[in-house]
Amino acid sequence: MGFLDETVITVISGAGGNGCVSFRREKYIPKGGPDGGDGGNGGSIIVRGTKRLHSLINYSSKKLLKAQNGSPGRGKNQSGKNGSDLILDLPLGTLIQELATGRVLADLIHDDEQIALVSGGKGGKGNQHFATSTNRVPRFAQPGSPGQEIRLKLSLKFLADIGLIGLPNTGKSTLLSRLSMARPKVGSYPFTTLIPNLGVMTLEDERSVVIADIPGLIRGAGHGRGLGHRFLRHIERTGLLLHLLDITYRPERDLLEDYKILRNEMEEYNPALMNKPELVLINKMDLYAPGLRDVNELESEFEKIGVTCLTISAITGEGLDKLRRAIFDLVRLKIPPTTNMSGEPID
Ligand SMILES: Nc1nc2c(ncn2[C@@H]2O[C@H](COP(=O)(O)OP(=O)(O)OP(=O)(O)O)[C@@H](O)[C@H]2O)c(=O)[nH]1
Ligand SMILES: [Mg+2]
């Protein structure tokens, strides 16, 4: 299954049907009055948020999407049928902008939420409406108004509660699979994850939170180098970041340094990301061996800069109970009893 989180589509609402010019023709009534019906209205373009979709891939190639035209009016005062609306199902977290101006038309947050973007053209009035005392045989009717065409930019920003970030190969996807039912691809090489994954984690009190796992970030990601920058958007709406560090990762480089590199990337991309609550997770503790960075020392260095860190092993599960508890404490205040942090009702 492919993934797409930004695309441009063109939509056209339906044209209104033309009003009809017609005159009554009945036996023994040679000069019947006007009986041309009205044209039907054109269909509108409607967007609808759905939690069943997590990608814009359905909209990659469909460049032109059109609602149905209204049918023309007919004789005997029959109105034309209204054209059907075109409903575009989009993943939650999709922002819809007019391409030309950047104006935000919709931001789909809730499941099943529908927003009418472009209304269809009005149907024209039939000639029955145009008879007057001086003109009893109006030979004209109103044409339907045309549909409107508009180019839309769709950008998806996941509505996840928690974002997993870290350099490549630090164990983000492994941790996601530990905390949720998601089974993302895990590999012993950097850039295993090429597209973001979502998983749902159940908290102690049965409430659920959505976790986003994004591809690993490298230096320069914030400036568009590497893979990661494209995916930083998916953590913009999270309420908590889990920042993974690999205790075995390049022993010659300091973990505090890795931490700062990644924070710089985030800041370059969007300084607002710096203010999100975060936990640093020192992962792969099962591989801890003499010669690696002294963990107590590391913890106190993080403490000095005001950062809470936990030691874990996403493989053996060491430290994960403590992590679940910490997540629970950090997010429970933000979640109303019957919804998760995105305001989405729990199934
Ligand atoms: N021993 C050990 N290995 C781990 C642990 N967590 C992850 N790994 C291994 O580290 C490698 C990378 O794990 P991933 O979960 O794919 O890492 P990632 O951060 O998602 O990597 P990218 O998607 O490339 O950014 C895999 O071989 C995992 O099995 C851990 O706690 N202990
Ligand atoms: Mg991964």
Side-chain angles (χ1 to χ4, degrees):
M1 206 179 69
F3 181 80
L4 185 72
D5 54 14
E6 201 168 88
T7 186
V8 172
I9 57 171
T10 304
V11 294
I12 308 180
S13 60
N18 293 333
C20 168
V21 177
S22 163
F23 297 94
R24 249 187 305 261
R25 273 171 224 288
E26 288 170 47
K27 270 184 191 168
Y28 317 118
I29 311 179
K31 267 193 186 169
D35 71 351
D38 302 342
N41 296 327
S44 303
I45 304 286
I46 293 171
V47 289
R48 176 167 65 191
T50 170
K51 62 181 179 188
R52 292 186 313 277
L53 293 174
H54 301 291
S55 165
L56 299 174
I57 193 79
N58 296 348
Y59 297 95
S60 61
S61 56
K62 292 179 196 161
K63 289 289 178 219
L64 189 78
L65 296 154
K66 203 175 173 310
Q68 201 180 23
N69 291 338
S71 307
R74 281 169 298 151
K76 298 184 182 164
N77 296 331
Q78 297 177 84
S79 302
K81 261 180 60 184
N82 292 335
S84 324
D85 295 334
L86 178 70
I87 300 182
L88 306 178
D89 279 316
L90 295 164
L92 297 184
T94 306
L95 182 76
I96 298 138
Q97 291 167 283
E98 183 178 25
L99 183 69
T101 59
R103 192 162 57 98
V104 173
L105 304 178
D107 191 2
L108 298 171
I109 306 290
H110 303 291
D111 193 34
D112 250 357
E113 175 183 16
Q114 293 193 18
I115 294 172
L117 283 193
V118 193
S119 37
K122 280 252 165 275
K125 297 212 177 301
N127 71 338
Q128 54 169 315
H129 298 279
F130 300 105
T132 62
S133 53
T134 53
N135 182 3
R136 291 167 195 275
V137 282
R139 296 194 187 284
F140 57 88
Q142 193 183 30
S145 40
Q148 282 180 64
E149 176 173 329
I150 177 170
R151 293 201 17 106
L152 301 174
K153 180 178 171 191
L154 309 180
S155 9
L156 173 61
K157 293 183 182 188
F158 281 164
L159 289 184
D161 305 300
I162 299 174
L164 295 178
I165 53 173
L167 294 175
N169 213 41
T170 47
K172 299 176 292 299
S173 301
T174 307
L175 182 63
L176 178 71
S177 72
R178 269 290 185 161
L179 297 177
S180 75
M181 301 285 282
R183 292 293 168 263
K185 189 172 170 194
V186 167
S188 59
Y189 50 91
F191 302 115
T192 301
T193 302
L194 299 176
I195 60 171
N197 300 300
L198 288 178
V200 178
M201 173 183 171
T202 308
L203 300 179
E204 296 173 24
D205 61 354
E206 303 291 296
R207 281 179 281 176
S208 57
V209 287
V210 177
I211 306 179
D213 163 35
I214 63 172
L217 299 177
I218 53 162
R219 189 193 280 276
H223 272 329
R225 290 186 286 278
L227 273 174
H229 74 285
R230 284 205 46 233
F231 300 110
L232 277 170
R233 67 167 78 201
H234 296 297
I235 59 165
E236 280 182 64
R237 295 178 174 191
T238 59
L240 171 66
L241 298 176
L242 302 180
H243 186 154
L244 274 79
L245 296 172
D246 180 343
I247 190 70
T248 71
Y249 190 60
R250 292 199 232 171
E252 75 278 6
R253 199 163 74 195
D254 190 46
L255 283 190
L256 205 63
E257 209 43 50
D258 282 353
Y259 171 81
K260 287 177 184 160
I261 288 172
L262 203 130
R263 297 281 292 175
N264 283 339
E265 296 301 327
M266 282 166 39
E267 187 167 24
E268 279 176 26
Y269 176 77
N270 176 358
L273 291 177
M274 304 298 277
N275 303 325
K276 287 193 190 292
E278 72 163 351
L279 284 176
V280 164
L281 306 179
I282 301 173
N283 189 27
K284 306 198 187 178
M285 285 302 289
D286 57 297
L287 297 178
Y288 194 77
L292 292 174
R293 189 74 148 82
D294 184 306
V295 178
N296 290 332
E297 209 175 273
L298 195 60
E299 278 173 333
S300 66
E301 281 174 44
F302 273 114
E303 208 170 300
K304 268 187 226 147
I305 57 172
V307 175
T308 309
C309 66
L310 296 173
T311 50
I312 64 165
S313 165
I315 291 273
T316 67
E318 170 190 345
L320 295 189
D321 282 342
K322 220 170 154 190
L323 171 60
R324 285 195 189 90
R325 164 68 49 158
I327 291 174
F328 180 66
D329 288 342
L330 280 164
V331 302
R332 71 174 157 181
L333 298 175
K334 297 191 183 177
I335 318 178
T338 56
T339 61
N340 67 20
M341 288 168 74
S342 318
E344 189 190 318
I346 295 170
D347 291 327

